[in-house]
């Protein structure tokens, strides 16, 4: 009897141990497939095959199979944390995850990590969207980064985290673009103070910043920072159209909140997609949106708020070849103290803008002039000048960036046909473009097909890239007259009545002017290079003028007229014209009417869907 | 662009110099932490510019530099801040207030009630010709 009892006790003990072991194994197995664990390891699921980590550094994994086996990595991490608890300090986010989903871990003091957290001292977090910058191909689509807010101090001292690729010094532009697109660079997260970011964006690159204050708990922010700590100097392959800043920032937010912020409708990700995905799918994440204007936008807005008398004084002072404190005092003499402040403070925005756009000779003259304005301001009483705050529509209210368009087109040569168009990115002169560069266009992979009544498909156009920046001057101040320019390249039919196609490069350099808000007119020297000379030549040069006007939110139109002659066949000429209209004000839809002349007239009406 | 280069070099200088002597009276951040020298001397820090963020185009990465201990006392921090943002700091000093001036005083832990007096004192000792180092000295004298 005693033997049976002992046998039962031992059996129960063994079984309970086995059960406990099995239970722990089940827990580990389940936790290893938890989305947060997979995110912490940066596992990605390809279209074909099994998931693996985007991180290839051996130091990032405890298991030799860690980059391809999340279960093995969790077991190895647990083993490391149990046998050497200080290992938790290298991977504090993993430690938090395991403590929550697997088992409690021994408490350890991580002095460096604690200092890191206390230095950042984040009580709040924001997603910052930087508007596009046409001066650099890598920055045209905007940028996003995170700002960790310490509400007890000036926001300029807050810490930010960026993700971007590092590339060698003096990299050739072609290699730069190729490697950026096809994974030739490593990307890293990096920390900088927010005042460095404002200097980069709003001061130097004249880009607006939009701050989305996010509704995250302290626990979520701490978890996110813990993972950023783990990613210190950990490279991930950078791909401009997918695994870029927007993608990695969205992944970080997912780690903190267990929700996805990546668009599901397209295989690429751009910064704009993140803010619109948050706005459309998780609006409660956004507490508020704050606008930080570039110095250029600040100049334009303040100048528009000056009275005629104030504008005249500022213009006179800035147009003078040289200015002294005495002559500036004379120019400002008719103004009262508050008006003088408004003029001088607007001039500070002007000089900051001017610094980024002018050559060295102009710059030194400008700096001398700026010092006179600074001295003049020192002589006035302290206190900011009064301007109304700038209120602009935020970027998430812009029209979406990928376009599918169906329509009907007619010309005399080919009759009436259906048209189908797809544009991968991004926007044109007529789309609803808040928080984008005014009077600009950035289109990539824009393909248009015509289909006739017998279902014959004709490739009419495949534009690889089209960039337009009219740089419309609005103030009339010296230096506020940058060049208007266009560049487009791809394949297209030679004209409205000629189905032969040709590779092409279009260019334009000129000047533009904005007589009032929402209107820009331009004119300039235009050129077209073709791979075929069916129309008389390979290279045509001439002149073009045109304009854009957003008459109301529901209606906008653009037009252009050009005349060119072929360099290698001067007796051959080309005249072209275009008038396009956009109807309705909707983020996902509009109707376009296009009248085009290129050897003959062509009319089309289309329904556009943006996503 | 020049501002960016200055920032990149100055940030790199801070991260590569280990003079955490900022609390010592009389320390000159420009001399001991390489702030001004980094901008003009060919001392190798330009290599940091190769670490450029592709998305940003121009900004150098110096990871975790903002929370490192090296040369990281409040006077060095404020000297760095002044050097990086000097145009804005001087303009706002002329105005008598502004977010950069406010941030500068916060680095120095000037309390809210004293800020206006400190700015007033700085205004009396600087002008448009003042250079960053002289401006820094005026700030230190005013607190």
């Amino acid at each position: 009897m005693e033997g049976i009892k002992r046998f039962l006790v031992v059996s129960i003990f063994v079984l309970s141990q086995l059960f406990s072991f099995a239970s722990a194994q089940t827990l580990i197995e389940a936790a290893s497939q938890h989305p947060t664990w997979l995110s912490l390891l940066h596992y990605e699921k390809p279209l074909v095959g099994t998931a693996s980590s985007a991180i290839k550094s051996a130091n990032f994994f405890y298991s030799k199979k860690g980059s391809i086996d999340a279960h093995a990595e969790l077991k190895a991490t647990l083993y490391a944390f149990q046998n050497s608890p200080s290992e938790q300090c290298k991977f504090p986010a993993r430690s938090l995850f395991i403590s929550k989903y697997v088992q409690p871990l021994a408490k350890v003091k991580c002095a460096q990590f604690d200092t890191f957290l206390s230095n950042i001292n984040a009580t709040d977090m924001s997603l910052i969207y930087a508007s596009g910058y046409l001066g650099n191909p890598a920055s045209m689509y905007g940028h996003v980064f995170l700002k960790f807010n310490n509400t007890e101090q000036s926001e300029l001292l807050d810490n930010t985290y960026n993700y971007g690729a590092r590339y060698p010094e003096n990299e050739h532009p072609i290699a730069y673009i190729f490697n950026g697109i096809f994974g030739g660079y490593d990307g890293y997260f990096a920390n900088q103070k927010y005042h460095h970011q404002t200097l980069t964006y709003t001061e130097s690159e004249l880009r607006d910043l939009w701050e989305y204050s996010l509704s995250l708990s302290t626990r979520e922010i701490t978890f996110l920072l813990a993972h950023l700590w783990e990613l210190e100097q950990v490279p991930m392959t950078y791909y401009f159209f997918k695994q870029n800043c927007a993608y990695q920032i969205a992944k970080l937010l997912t780690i903190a909140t267990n929700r996805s912020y990546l668009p599901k409708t397209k295989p690429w990700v751009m910064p704009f997609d993140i803010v619109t995905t948050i706005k459309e799918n998780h609006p409660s994440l956004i507490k508020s949106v704050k606008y930080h204007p570039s110095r250029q936008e600040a100049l334009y807005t303040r100048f528009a708020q000056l009275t005629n008398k104030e504008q005249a004084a500022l213009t006179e002072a800035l147009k003078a070849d040289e200015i002294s404190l005495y002559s500036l005092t004379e120019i400002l003499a008719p103004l009262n103290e508050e008006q003088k402040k408004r003029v001088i403070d607007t001039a500070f925005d002007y000089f900051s803008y001017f610094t980024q756009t002018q050559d060295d000779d102009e710059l030194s003259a400008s700096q001398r002039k700026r010092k006179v304005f600074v001295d003049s301001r020192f002589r006035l009483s302290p206190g900011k000048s009064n301007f109304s705050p700038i209120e602009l529509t935020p970027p998430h209210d812009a029209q979406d960036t990928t376009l599918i368009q169906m329509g009907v087109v007619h010309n005399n040569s080919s009759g009436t046909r259906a048209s189908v168009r797809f544009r991968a990115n991004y926007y044109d002169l007529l789309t609803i473009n808040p928080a984008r560069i005014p009077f600009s266009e950035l289109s990539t992979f824009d393909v248009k097909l015509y289909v006739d009544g017998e279902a014959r498909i004709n490739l009419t156009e495949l534009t690889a890239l089209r960039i337009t920046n009219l740089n419309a001057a609005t103030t009339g101040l010296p230096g506020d007259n940058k060049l208007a320019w266009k560049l487009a390249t791809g394949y297209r039919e030679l004209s409205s009545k000629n189905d032969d196609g040709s590779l092409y490069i279009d260019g334009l350099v000129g000047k533009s002017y904005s007589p009032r808000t929402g209107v820009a007119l331009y004119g300039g020297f235009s050129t077209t290079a073709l791979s075929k000379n069916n129309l008389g030549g390979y290279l045509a040069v001439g002149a073009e003028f045109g304009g854009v006007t957003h008459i109301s939110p529901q209606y906008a139109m653009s037009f252009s007229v050009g005349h060119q002659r072929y360099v290698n066949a001067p007796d051959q000429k080309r005249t072209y014209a275009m008038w396009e209209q956009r109807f309705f004000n909707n983020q996902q839809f509009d109707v376009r009417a296009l009248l085009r002349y290129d050897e003959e007239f062509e009319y089309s009406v289309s329904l556009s869907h943006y996503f | 662009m020049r501002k960016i280069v200055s920032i990149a070099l100055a940030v790199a200088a801070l991260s590569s110099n280990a003079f955490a002597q900022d609390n010592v009276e009389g320390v000159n951040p420009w001399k001991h932490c390489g702030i001004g020298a980094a901008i003009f001397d060919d001392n190798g820090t330009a290599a940091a510019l190769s670490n450029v963020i592709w998305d940003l185009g121009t900004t150098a990465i110096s990871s975790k530099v903002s929370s490192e201990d090296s040369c990281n006392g409040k006077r060095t921090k404020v000297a760095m801040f002044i050097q990086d943002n000097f145009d804005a700091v001087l303009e706002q000093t002329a105005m008598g207030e502004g977010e950069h001036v406010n941030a500068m005083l916060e680095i120095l832990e000037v309390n809210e009630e004293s800020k206006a007096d400190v700015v007033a004192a700085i205004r009396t000792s600087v002008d448009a010709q003042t250079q960053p180092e002289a401006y820094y000295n005026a700030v230190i004298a005013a607190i």
Side-chain angles (χ1 to χ4, degrees), chain A residues 172-189:
Chain A
H172 190 280
I174 301 297
Y176 171 74
I177 291 170
F178 185 86
N179 287 325
I181 291 173
F182 296 108
Y185 298 130
D186 283 334
Y188 294 85
F189 280 100

Side-chain angles (χ1 to χ4, degrees), chain A residues 116-124 148-152 159 225:
Chain A
F116 165 75
L117 282 183
S118 67
N119 278 343
I120 291 180
N121 198 19
T123 50
D124 210 345
F148 293 89
N149 308 319
N150 176 355
T151 49
E152 294 173 0
N159 281 272
L225 282 168

Side-chain angles (χ1 to χ4, degrees), chain A residues 75-106:
Chain A
K75 283 201 296 185
T77 304
L78 186 57
Y79 180 83
F81 286 1
Q82 286 172 328
N83 286 277
S84 177
S86 64
E87 286 294 303
Q88 294 176 61
C89 300
K90 290 185 193 168
F91 294 100
R94 292 191 196 186
S95 171
L96 288 167
F97 174 85
I98 290 173
S99 298
K100 182 175 180 183
Y101 291 101
V102 182
Q103 65 181 67
L105 295 166

Side-chain angles (χ1 to χ4, degrees), chain B residues 27-73:
Chain B
V27 71
N28 182 332
W30 267 263
K31 287 180 183 167
H32 296 115
C33 294
I35 294 173
I39 295 165
F40 303 108
D41 292 353
D42 181 13
N43 58 5
T45 52
L49 284 177
S50 64
N51 296 332
V52 177
I53 293 178
W54 212 78
D55 276 316
L56 307 179
T58 47
T59 302
I61 292 176
S62 183
S63 194
K64 281 191 184 164
V65 69
S66 299
S67 58
E68 281 188 346
D69 293 333
S70 59
C71 225
N72 206 27

Side-chain angles (χ1 to χ4, degrees), chain A residues 519-540:
Chain A
V519 180
L521 302 170
Y522 72 90
F525 170 79
S526 76
T527 180
T528 297
L530 299 168
S531 63
K532 291 182 180 173
N533 69 342
N534 305 34
L535 299 181
Y538 291 104
L539 181 65

Side-chain angles (χ1 to χ4, degrees), chain A residues 154 165 167 199 201 360 383, chain B residues 2 7 50 52 54 56 95 106:
Chain A
S154 164
Y167 66 90
L199 200 49
Y201 293 107
D360 285 349
Chain B
R2 288 176 180 171
I7 284 178
S50 64
V52 177
W54 212 78
L56 307 179
M95 292 181 200
E106 283 189 7

